[in-house]
Amino acid sequence: MHPLFEELAYCPTPIGPVSLRHRMELTLKREVYEIKLGDEYLMSSLFTASEEALARLGLAARDGDALDVVVGGLGLGYTARTVLEDARVASMAVVEYLDPVIAWHRSGLLPLGPGLTGDPRCSFVQDDFFALAASAEGFDTRRPGRLFDAILLDIDHSPEALLDARSTSFYRPEGLHALSRHLKPGGIFGLWSNDRPDPAFTERLAGVFAEAWAESVTFDNPLLGRPFTQSVYLARA
């Protein structure tokens, strides 16, 4: 029998303590894994539809084979796992700022960890996604200036609801311009948001990229007993 609640790990980080929790959701009779940063919920295994949609929609928008992909934010691993389900993906670099989160996957403490670490296409990069996006060298320190077919980001709650002030400049036109330099021609930038699509942010993306649009992702929230809508922004270089 599983315990009703347990804190599997807790670790201080430069932006606050991060914890991994496992509990039983009695109303649904389901196991739930959660990652929290201080009092903020980073991710829950109870709601993964939009994280998975980020990968599916982003890759569906990109033609070709042997795709090189960057995923910003590891979390519980649902976006990364969905990327690897696409047989066209040749490589995936997952950039995660919080070293304990990577360690939880590598140790098998998280259910999706073995599948990610056991796939030779997957590599973990412990670094600041936003700093790498702003740099000229980009996301591969072994191959500075390397370009990618898709860059999929799920770190902040939305472009207006940030986990840490260090990402503020990323969502401005200059930050998005810097990110676009790491995409191949026709490459896709995908961004997860906890909110409904914001036309103002889609317009901001369209001012930087050749094409931009937003997709609503609606799923049943069993705790609220009603549908809930999040969004995925997509932009083509």
PDB file of all heavy atoms in Angstrom, residues 80-117:
ATOM      1  N   ALA A  80       9.546  15.997 -22.531  1.00  0.00           N
ATOM      2  CA  ALA A  80      10.703  15.288 -23.084  1.00  0.00           C
ATOM      3  C   ALA A  80      10.310  13.899 -23.572  1.00  0.00           C
ATOM      4  O   ALA A  80      10.731  13.458 -24.657  1.00  0.00           O
ATOM      5  CB  ALA A  80      11.808  15.199 -22.030  1.00  0.00           C
ATOM      6  N   ARG A  81       9.520  13.182 -22.795  1.00  0.00           N
ATOM      7  CA  ARG A  81       9.104  11.839 -23.221  1.00  0.00           C
ATOM      8  C   ARG A  81       8.328  11.901 -24.523  1.00  0.00           C
ATOM      9  O   ARG A  81       8.523  11.061 -25.424  1.00  0.00           O
ATOM     10  CB  ARG A  81       8.248  11.172 -22.151  1.00  0.00           C
ATOM     11  CG  ARG A  81       7.846   9.739 -22.541  1.00  0.00           C
ATOM     12  CD  ARG A  81       6.892   9.108 -21.568  1.00  0.00           C
ATOM     13  NE  ARG A  81       5.570   9.725 -21.572  1.00  0.00           N
ATOM     14  CZ  ARG A  81       4.531   9.258 -20.892  1.00  0.00           C
ATOM     15  NH1 ARG A  81       4.663   8.179 -20.126  1.00  0.00           N
ATOM     16  NH2 ARG A  81       3.353   9.876 -20.944  1.00  0.00           N
ATOM     17  N   THR A  82       7.438  12.883 -24.659  1.00  0.00           N
ATOM     18  CA  THR A  82       6.629  12.994 -25.866  1.00  0.00           C
ATOM     19  C   THR A  82       7.493  13.347 -27.067  1.00  0.00           C
ATOM     20  O   THR A  82       7.227  12.882 -28.183  1.00  0.00           O
ATOM     21  CB  THR A  82       5.504  14.027 -25.664  1.00  0.00           C
ATOM     22  OG1 THR A  82       4.765  13.695 -24.476  1.00  0.00           O
ATOM     23  CG2 THR A  82       4.552  14.041 -26.836  1.00  0.00           C
ATOM     24  N   VAL A  83       8.517  14.167 -26.876  1.00  0.00           N
ATOM     25  CA  VAL A  83       9.461  14.450 -27.967  1.00  0.00           C
ATOM     26  C   VAL A  83      10.087  13.156 -28.463  1.00  0.00           C
ATOM     27  O   VAL A  83      10.167  12.896 -29.680  1.00  0.00           O
ATOM     28  CB  VAL A  83      10.554  15.433 -27.498  1.00  0.00           C
ATOM     29  CG1 VAL A  83      11.706  15.494 -28.513  1.00  0.00           C
ATOM     30  CG2 VAL A  83       9.971  16.825 -27.304  1.00  0.00           C
ATOM     31  N   LEU A  84      10.530  12.307 -27.547  1.00  0.00           N
ATOM     32  CA  LEU A  84      11.209  11.072 -27.933  1.00  0.00           C
ATOM     33  C   LEU A  84      10.272  10.067 -28.592  1.00  0.00           C
ATOM     34  O   LEU A  84      10.734   9.132 -29.251  1.00  0.00           O
ATOM     35  CB  LEU A  84      11.876  10.442 -26.714  1.00  0.00           C
ATOM     36  CG  LEU A  84      13.034  11.249 -26.116  1.00  0.00           C
ATOM     37  CD1 LEU A  84      13.543  10.569 -24.854  1.00  0.00           C
ATOM     38  CD2 LEU A  84      14.161  11.428 -27.123  1.00  0.00           C
ATOM     39  N   GLU A  85       8.974  10.231 -28.445  1.00  0.00           N
ATOM     40  CA  GLU A  85       8.015   9.347 -29.112  1.00  0.00           C
ATOM     41  C   GLU A  85       7.951   9.610 -30.610  1.00  0.00           C
ATOM     42  O   GLU A  85       7.435   8.782 -31.367  1.00  0.00           O
ATOM     43  CB  GLU A  85       6.629   9.513 -28.491  1.00  0.00           C
ATOM     44  CG  GLU A  85       6.528   8.934 -27.085  1.00  0.00           C
ATOM     45  CD  GLU A  85       5.200   9.249 -26.412  1.00  0.00           C
ATOM     46  OE1 GLU A  85       4.422  10.047 -26.982  1.00  0.00           O
ATOM     47  OE2 GLU A  85       4.946   8.716 -25.314  1.00  0.00           O
ATOM     48  N   ASP A  86       8.481  10.750 -31.060  1.00  0.00           N
ATOM     49  CA  ASP A  86       8.529  11.074 -32.489  1.00  0.00           C
ATOM     50  C   ASP A  86       9.797  10.442 -33.076  1.00  0.00           C
ATOM     51  O   ASP A  86      10.913  10.815 -32.723  1.00  0.00           O
ATOM     52  CB  ASP A  86       8.554  12.594 -32.680  1.00  0.00           C
ATOM     53  CG  ASP A  86       8.338  13.007 -34.123  1.00  0.00           C
ATOM     54  OD1 ASP A  86       8.878  12.341 -35.028  1.00  0.00           O
ATOM     55  OD2 ASP A  86       7.632  14.016 -34.350  1.00  0.00           O
ATOM     56  N   ALA A  87       9.609   9.484 -33.971  1.00  0.00           N
ATOM     57  CA  ALA A  87      10.744   8.741 -34.530  1.00  0.00           C
ATOM     58  C   ALA A  87      11.667   9.620 -35.362  1.00  0.00           C
ATOM     59  O   ALA A  87      12.805   9.223 -35.652  1.00  0.00           O
ATOM     60  CB  ALA A  87      10.221   7.573 -35.372  1.00  0.00           C
ATOM     61  N   ARG A  88      11.213  10.809 -35.750  1.00  0.00           N
ATOM     62  CA  ARG A  88      12.065  11.686 -36.553  1.00  0.00           C
ATOM     63  C   ARG A  88      13.136  12.376 -35.716  1.00  0.00           C
ATOM     64  O   ARG A  88      14.065  12.960 -36.265  1.00  0.00           O
ATOM     65  CB  ARG A  88      11.206  12.753 -37.230  1.00  0.00           C
ATOM     66  CG  ARG A  88      10.148  12.208 -38.187  1.00  0.00           C
ATOM     67  CD  ARG A  88       9.329  13.351 -38.758  1.00  0.00           C
ATOM     68  NE  ARG A  88       8.664  14.099 -37.691  1.00  0.00           N
ATOM     69  CZ  ARG A  88       8.437  15.422 -37.710  1.00  0.00           C
ATOM     70  NH1 ARG A  88       8.843  16.151 -38.741  1.00  0.00           N
ATOM     71  NH2 ARG A  88       7.815  16.004 -36.711  1.00  0.00           N
ATOM     72  N   VAL A  89      13.002  12.353 -34.397  1.00  0.00           N
ATOM     73  CA  VAL A  89      13.933  13.065 -33.524  1.00  0.00           C
ATOM     74  C   VAL A  89      15.256  12.320 -33.454  1.00  0.00           C
ATOM     75  O   VAL A  89      15.309  11.139 -33.092  1.00  0.00           O
ATOM     76  CB  VAL A  89      13.324  13.234 -32.122  1.00  0.00           C
ATOM     77  CG1 VAL A  89      14.356  13.796 -31.149  1.00  0.00           C
ATOM     78  CG2 VAL A  89      12.107  14.146 -32.189  1.00  0.00           C
ATOM     79  N   ALA A  90      16.329  13.030 -33.805  1.00  0.00           N
ATOM     80  CA  ALA A  90      17.675  12.447 -33.751  1.00  0.00           C
ATOM     81  C   ALA A  90      18.371  12.759 -32.442  1.00  0.00           C
ATOM     82  O   ALA A  90      19.177  11.957 -31.950  1.00  0.00           O
ATOM     83  CB  ALA A  90      18.516  12.967 -34.917  1.00  0.00           C
ATOM     84  N   SER A  91      18.094  13.947 -31.883  1.00  0.00           N
ATOM     85  CA  SER A  91      18.728  14.329 -30.623  1.00  0.00           C
ATOM     86  C   SER A  91      17.817  15.272 -29.855  1.00  0.00           C
ATOM     87  O   SER A  91      17.063  16.043 -30.455  1.00  0.00           O
ATOM     88  CB  SER A  91      20.083  15.006 -30.869  1.00  0.00           C
ATOM     89  OG  SER A  91      19.911  16.314 -31.402  1.00  0.00           O
ATOM     90  N   MET A  92      17.910  15.187 -28.534  1.00  0.00           N
ATOM     91  CA  MET A  92      17.140  16.085 -27.670  1.00  0.00           C
ATOM     92  C   MET A  92      18.013  16.487 -26.488  1.00  0.00           C
ATOM     93  O   MET A  92      18.477  15.631 -25.720  1.00  0.00           O
ATOM     94  CB  MET A  92      15.868  15.399 -27.148  1.00  0.00           C
ATOM     95  CG  MET A  92      15.057  16.280 -26.180  1.00  0.00           C
ATOM     96  SD  MET A  92      13.615  15.416 -25.481  1.00  0.00           S
ATOM     97  CE  MET A  92      14.433  14.172 -24.445  1.00  0.00           C
ATOM     98  N   ALA A  93      18.250  17.773 -26.347  1.00  0.00           N
ATOM     99  CA  ALA A  93      18.969  18.320 -25.199  1.00  0.00           C
ATOM    100  C   ALA A  93      17.958  18.973 -24.272  1.00  0.00           C
ATOM    101  O   ALA A  93      17.236  19.893 -24.683  1.00  0.00           O
ATOM    102  CB  ALA A  93      20.014  19.341 -25.652  1.00  0.00           C
ATOM    103  N   VAL A  94      17.880  18.495 -23.043  1.00  0.00           N
ATOM    104  CA  VAL A  94      16.944  19.049 -22.066  1.00  0.00           C
ATOM    105  C   VAL A  94      17.724  19.968 -21.131  1.00  0.00           C
ATOM    106  O   VAL A  94      18.602  19.508 -20.396  1.00  0.00           O
ATOM    107  CB  VAL A  94      16.248  17.944 -21.252  1.00  0.00           C
ATOM    108  CG1 VAL A  94      15.198  18.555 -20.335  1.00  0.00           C
ATOM    109  CG2 VAL A  94      15.607  16.919 -22.178  1.00  0.00           C
ATOM    110  N   VAL A  95      17.410  21.254 -21.175  1.00  0.00           N
ATOM    111  CA  VAL A  95      18.102  22.244 -20.357  1.00  0.00           C
ATOM    112  C   VAL A  95      17.312  22.473 -19.075  1.00  0.00           C
ATOM    113  O   VAL A  95      16.159  22.912 -19.127  1.00  0.00           O
ATOM    114  CB  VAL A  95      18.289  23.570 -21.120  1.00  0.00           C
ATOM    115  CG1 VAL A  95      19.059  24.571 -20.265  1.00  0.00           C
ATOM    116  CG2 VAL A  95      19.002  23.329 -22.442  1.00  0.00           C
ATOM    117  N   GLU A  96      17.931  22.181 -17.942  1.00  0.00           N
ATOM    118  CA  GLU A  96      17.268  22.306 -16.641  1.00  0.00           C
ATOM    119  C   GLU A  96      18.188  23.050 -15.683  1.00  0.00           C
ATOM    120  O   GLU A  96      19.330  22.665 -15.485  1.00  0.00           O
ATOM    121  CB  GLU A  96      16.927  20.925 -16.086  1.00  0.00           C
ATOM    122  CG  GLU A  96      16.391  20.928 -14.661  1.00  0.00           C
ATOM    123  CD  GLU A  96      15.130  21.770 -14.497  1.00  0.00           C
ATOM    124  OE1 GLU A  96      14.155  21.532 -15.234  1.00  0.00           O
ATOM    125  OE2 GLU A  96      15.151  22.672 -13.631  1.00  0.00           O
ATOM    126  N   TYR A  97      17.668  24.126 -15.106  1.00  0.00           N
ATOM    127  CA  TYR A  97      18.458  24.956 -14.184  1.00  0.00           C
ATOM    128  C   TYR A  97      18.656  24.280 -12.830  1.00  0.00           C
ATOM    129  O   TYR A  97      19.695  24.445 -12.184  1.00  0.00           O
ATOM    130  CB  TYR A  97      17.755  26.303 -13.999  1.00  0.00           C
ATOM    131  CG  TYR A  97      18.510  27.300 -13.148  1.00  0.00           C
ATOM    132  CD1 TYR A  97      19.719  27.824 -13.577  1.00  0.00           C
ATOM    133  CD2 TYR A  97      17.986  27.733 -11.934  1.00  0.00           C
ATOM    134  CE1 TYR A  97      20.405  28.749 -12.798  1.00  0.00           C
ATOM    135  CE2 TYR A  97      18.662  28.657 -11.154  1.00  0.00           C
ATOM    136  CZ  TYR A  97      19.866  29.161 -11.593  1.00  0.00           C
ATOM    137  OH  TYR A  97      20.545  30.063 -10.818  1.00  0.00           O
ATOM    138  N   LEU A  98      17.667  23.514 -12.387  1.00  0.00           N
ATOM    139  CA  LEU A  98      17.683  22.923 -11.052  1.00  0.00           C
ATOM    140  C   LEU A  98      18.342  21.543 -11.098  1.00  0.00           C
ATOM    141  O   LEU A  98      17.739  20.565 -11.544  1.00  0.00           O
ATOM    142  CB  LEU A  98      16.260  22.821 -10.506  1.00  0.00           C
ATOM    143  CG  LEU A  98      15.498  24.155 -10.409  1.00  0.00           C
ATOM    144  CD1 LEU A  98      14.044  23.910 -10.008  1.00  0.00           C
ATOM    145  CD2 LEU A  98      16.185  25.091  -9.418  1.00  0.00           C
ATOM    146  N   ASP A  99      19.570  21.484 -10.620  1.00  0.00           N
ATOM    147  CA  ASP A  99      20.326  20.238 -10.660  1.00  0.00           C
ATOM    148  C   ASP A  99      19.622  19.080  -9.950  1.00  0.00           C
ATOM    149  O   ASP A  99      19.677  17.941 -10.419  1.00  0.00           O
ATOM    150  CB  ASP A  99      21.718  20.460 -10.075  1.00  0.00           C
ATOM    151  CG  ASP A  99      22.616  19.260 -10.276  1.00  0.00           C
ATOM    152  OD1 ASP A  99      22.792  18.834 -11.420  1.00  0.00           O
ATOM    153  OD2 ASP A  99      23.141  18.737  -9.269  1.00  0.00           O
ATOM    154  N   PRO A 100      18.929  19.312  -8.803  1.00  0.00           N
ATOM    155  CA  PRO A 100      18.251  18.191  -8.155  1.00  0.00           C
ATOM    156  C   PRO A 100      17.218  17.514  -9.055  1.00  0.00           C
ATOM    157  O   PRO A 100      17.038  16.288  -8.969  1.00  0.00           O
ATOM    158  CB  PRO A 100      17.580  18.843  -6.931  1.00  0.00           C
ATOM    159  CG  PRO A 100      18.398  20.042  -6.639  1.00  0.00           C
ATOM    160  CD  PRO A 100      18.844  20.542  -7.986  1.00  0.00           C
ATOM    161  N   VAL A 101      16.543  18.266  -9.909  1.00  0.00           N
ATOM    162  CA  VAL A 101      15.533  17.674 -10.788  1.00  0.00           C
ATOM    163  C   VAL A 101      16.185  16.674 -11.742  1.00  0.00           C
ATOM    164  O   VAL A 101      15.661  15.577 -11.982  1.00  0.00           O
ATOM    165  CB  VAL A 101      14.772  18.770 -11.557  1.00  0.00           C
ATOM    166  CG1 VAL A 101      13.796  18.150 -12.554  1.00  0.00           C
ATOM    167  CG2 VAL A 101      14.023  19.679 -10.590  1.00  0.00           C
ATOM    168  N   ILE A 102      17.343  17.046 -12.282  1.00  0.00           N
ATOM    169  CA  ILE A 102      18.075  16.108 -13.144  1.00  0.00           C
ATOM    170  C   ILE A 102      18.473  14.872 -12.346  1.00  0.00           C
ATOM    171  O   ILE A 102      18.334  13.743 -12.818  1.00  0.00           O
ATOM    172  CB  ILE A 102      19.312  16.793 -13.753  1.00  0.00           C
ATOM    173  CG1 ILE A 102      18.889  17.938 -14.685  1.00  0.00           C
ATOM    174  CG2 ILE A 102      20.167  15.785 -14.520  1.00  0.00           C
ATOM    175  CD1 ILE A 102      20.045  18.741 -15.248  1.00  0.00           C
ATOM    176  N   ALA A 103      18.965  15.076 -11.124  1.00  0.00           N
ATOM    177  CA  ALA A 103      19.393  13.955 -10.285  1.00  0.00           C
ATOM    178  C   ALA A 103      18.244  13.006  -9.989  1.00  0.00           C
ATOM    179  O   ALA A 103      18.429  11.779  -9.953  1.00  0.00           O
ATOM    180  CB  ALA A 103      20.000  14.483  -8.988  1.00  0.00           C
ATOM    181  N   TRP A 104      17.044  13.533  -9.782  1.00  0.00           N
ATOM    182  CA  TRP A 104      15.889  12.672  -9.499  1.00  0.00           C
ATOM    183  C   TRP A 104      15.566  11.775 -10.679  1.00  0.00           C
ATOM    184  O   TRP A 104      15.169  10.620 -10.506  1.00  0.00           O
ATOM    185  CB  TRP A 104      14.674  13.524  -9.135  1.00  0.00           C
ATOM    186  CG  TRP A 104      14.863  14.360  -7.899  1.00  0.00           C
ATOM    187  CD1 TRP A 104      15.768  14.147  -6.888  1.00  0.00           C
ATOM    188  CD2 TRP A 104      14.152  15.541  -7.547  1.00  0.00           C
ATOM    189  NE1 TRP A 104      15.655  15.121  -5.938  1.00  0.00           N
ATOM    190  CE2 TRP A 104      14.666  15.992  -6.303  1.00  0.00           C
ATOM    191  CE3 TRP A 104      13.124  16.259  -8.147  1.00  0.00           C
ATOM    192  CZ2 TRP A 104      14.189  17.136  -5.665  1.00  0.00           C
ATOM    193  CZ3 TRP A 104      12.641  17.403  -7.521  1.00  0.00           C
ATOM    194  CH2 TRP A 104      13.171  17.835  -6.284  1.00  0.00           C
ATOM    195  N   HIS A 105      15.741  12.286 -11.893  1.00  0.00           N
ATOM    196  CA  HIS A 105      15.512  11.459 -13.075  1.00  0.00           C
ATOM    197  C   HIS A 105      16.612  10.418 -13.234  1.00  0.00           C
ATOM    198  O   HIS A 105      16.337   9.248 -13.516  1.00  0.00           O
ATOM    199  CB  HIS A 105      15.423  12.336 -14.328  1.00  0.00           C
ATOM    200  CG  HIS A 105      14.099  13.009 -14.509  1.00  0.00           C
ATOM    201  ND1 HIS A 105      13.043  12.400 -15.133  1.00  0.00           N
ATOM    202  CD2 HIS A 105      13.662  14.237 -14.126  1.00  0.00           C
ATOM    203  CE1 HIS A 105      12.001  13.221 -15.142  1.00  0.00           C
ATOM    204  NE2 HIS A 105      12.353  14.349 -14.544  1.00  0.00           N
ATOM    205  N   ARG A 106      17.844  10.845 -13.061  1.00  0.00           N
ATOM    206  CA  ARG A 106      18.964   9.912 -13.243  1.00  0.00           C
ATOM    207  C   ARG A 106      18.952   8.788 -12.213  1.00  0.00           C
ATOM    208  O   ARG A 106      19.380   7.664 -12.505  1.00  0.00           O
ATOM    209  CB  ARG A 106      20.282  10.677 -13.172  1.00  0.00           C
ATOM    210  CG  ARG A 106      20.575  11.485 -14.441  1.00  0.00           C
ATOM    211  CD  ARG A 106      21.864  12.256 -14.344  1.00  0.00           C
ATOM    212  NE  ARG A 106      22.262  12.794 -15.653  1.00  0.00           N
ATOM    213  CZ  ARG A 106      23.061  13.838 -15.825  1.00  0.00           C
ATOM    214  NH1 ARG A 106      23.563  14.465 -14.753  1.00  0.00           N
ATOM    215  NH2 ARG A 106      23.369  14.244 -17.028  1.00  0.00           N
ATOM    216  N   SER A 107      18.463   9.065 -11.026  1.00  0.00           N
ATOM    217  CA  SER A 107      18.453   8.052  -9.972  1.00  0.00           C
ATOM    218  C   SER A 107      17.255   7.117 -10.063  1.00  0.00           C
ATOM    219  O   SER A 107      17.191   6.116  -9.340  1.00  0.00           O
ATOM    220  CB  SER A 107      18.448   8.727  -8.599  1.00  0.00           C
ATOM    221  OG  SER A 107      17.204   9.394  -8.367  1.00  0.00           O
ATOM    222  N   GLY A 108      16.292   7.439 -10.936  1.00  0.00           N
ATOM    223  CA  GLY A 108      15.094   6.629 -11.052  1.00  0.00           C
ATOM    224  C   GLY A 108      14.030   6.965 -10.034  1.00  0.00           C
ATOM    225  O   GLY A 108      13.031   6.248  -9.910  1.00  0.00           O
ATOM    226  N   LEU A 109      14.216   8.067  -9.306  1.00  0.00           N
ATOM    227  CA  LEU A 109      13.231   8.463  -8.303  1.00  0.00           C
ATOM    228  C   LEU A 109      11.916   8.883  -8.953  1.00  0.00           C
ATOM    229  O   LEU A 109      10.856   8.758  -8.339  1.00  0.00           O
ATOM    230  CB  LEU A 109      13.806   9.604  -7.454  1.00  0.00           C
ATOM    231  CG  LEU A 109      13.110   9.952  -6.133  1.00  0.00           C
ATOM    232  CD1 LEU A 109      13.044   8.729  -5.222  1.00  0.00           C
ATOM    233  CD2 LEU A 109      13.856  11.097  -5.441  1.00  0.00           C
ATOM    234  N   LEU A 110      11.992   9.387 -10.181  1.00  0.00           N
ATOM    235  CA  LEU A 110      10.797   9.770 -10.928  1.00  0.00           C
ATOM    236  C   LEU A 110      10.457   8.692 -11.952  1.00  0.00           C
ATOM    237  O   LEU A 110      11.346   8.128 -12.598  1.00  0.00           O
ATOM    238  CB  LEU A 110      11.014  11.110 -11.627  1.00  0.00           C
ATOM    239  CG  LEU A 110      10.887  12.331 -10.710  1.00  0.00           C
ATOM    240  CD1 LEU A 110      11.420  13.580 -11.382  1.00  0.00           C
ATOM    241  CD2 LEU A 110       9.433  12.530 -10.308  1.00  0.00           C
ATOM    242  N   PRO A 111       9.179   8.403 -12.148  1.00  0.00           N
ATOM    243  CA  PRO A 111       8.780   7.288 -13.013  1.00  0.00           C
ATOM    244  C   PRO A 111       9.293   7.374 -14.445  1.00  0.00           C
ATOM    245  O   PRO A 111       9.606   6.357 -15.056  1.00  0.00           O
ATOM    246  CB  PRO A 111       7.249   7.343 -12.975  1.00  0.00           C
ATOM    247  CG  PRO A 111       6.919   7.996 -11.673  1.00  0.00           C
ATOM    248  CD  PRO A 111       8.015   9.001 -11.447  1.00  0.00           C
ATOM    249  N   LEU A 112       9.381   8.587 -15.014  1.00  0.00           N
ATOM    250  CA  LEU A 112       9.812   8.717 -16.406  1.00  0.00           C
ATOM    251  C   LEU A 112      11.323   8.751 -16.555  1.00  0.00           C
ATOM    252  O   LEU A 112      11.835   8.719 -17.679  1.00  0.00           O
ATOM    253  CB  LEU A 112       9.202   9.973 -17.039  1.00  0.00           C
ATOM    254  CG  LEU A 112       7.670  10.064 -17.065  1.00  0.00           C
ATOM    255  CD1 LEU A 112       7.231  11.236 -17.932  1.00  0.00           C
ATOM    256  CD2 LEU A 112       7.038   8.780 -17.553  1.00  0.00           C
ATOM    257  N   GLY A 113      12.045   8.831 -15.443  1.00  0.00           N
ATOM    258  CA  GLY A 113      13.495   8.956 -15.497  1.00  0.00           C
ATOM    259  C   GLY A 113      14.198   7.864 -16.281  1.00  0.00           C
ATOM    260  O   GLY A 113      15.017   8.163 -17.175  1.00  0.00           O
ATOM    261  N   PRO A 114      13.927   6.583 -16.004  1.00  0.00           N
ATOM    262  CA  PRO A 114      14.636   5.523 -16.727  1.00  0.00           C
ATOM    263  C   PRO A 114      14.443   5.579 -18.236  1.00  0.00           C
ATOM    264  O   PRO A 114      15.377   5.310 -18.998  1.00  0.00           O
ATOM    265  CB  PRO A 114      14.048   4.241 -16.124  1.00  0.00           C
ATOM    266  CG  PRO A 114      13.634   4.639 -14.743  1.00  0.00           C
ATOM    267  CD  PRO A 114      13.117   6.039 -14.891  1.00  0.00           C
ATOM    268  N   GLY A 115      13.235   5.919 -18.680  1.00  0.00           N
ATOM    269  CA  GLY A 115      12.984   6.007 -20.113  1.00  0.00           C
ATOM    270  C   GLY A 115      13.765   7.124 -20.777  1.00  0.00           C
ATOM    271  O   GLY A 115      14.220   6.987 -21.918  1.00  0.00           O
ATOM    272  N   LEU A 116      13.941   8.236 -20.070  1.00  0.00           N
ATOM    273  CA  LEU A 116      14.709   9.354 -20.625  1.00  0.00           C
ATOM    274  C   LEU A 116      16.198   9.058 -20.604  1.00  0.00           C
ATOM    275  O   LEU A 116      16.890   9.226 -21.613  1.00  0.00           O
ATOM    276  CB  LEU A 116      14.409  10.628 -19.834  1.00  0.00           C
ATOM    277  CG  LEU A 116      12.965  11.137 -19.864  1.00  0.00           C
ATOM    278  CD1 LEU A 116      12.833  12.400 -19.022  1.00  0.00           C
ATOM    279  CD2 LEU A 116      12.500  11.406 -21.291  1.00  0.00           C
ATOM    280  N   THR A 117      16.700   8.633 -19.460  1.00  0.00           N
ATOM    281  CA  THR A 117      18.145   8.396 -19.345  1.00  0.00           C
ATOM    282  C   THR A 117      18.597   7.202 -20.185  1.00  0.00           C
ATOM    283  O   THR A 117      19.763   7.122 -20.579  1.00  0.00           O
ATOM    284  CB  THR A 117      18.550   8.170 -17.882  1.00  0.00           C
ATOM    285  OG1 THR A 117      17.821   7.049 -17.349  1.00  0.00           O
ATOM    286  CG2 THR A 117      18.234   9.396 -17.041  1.00  0.00           C
TER     287      THR A 117
END
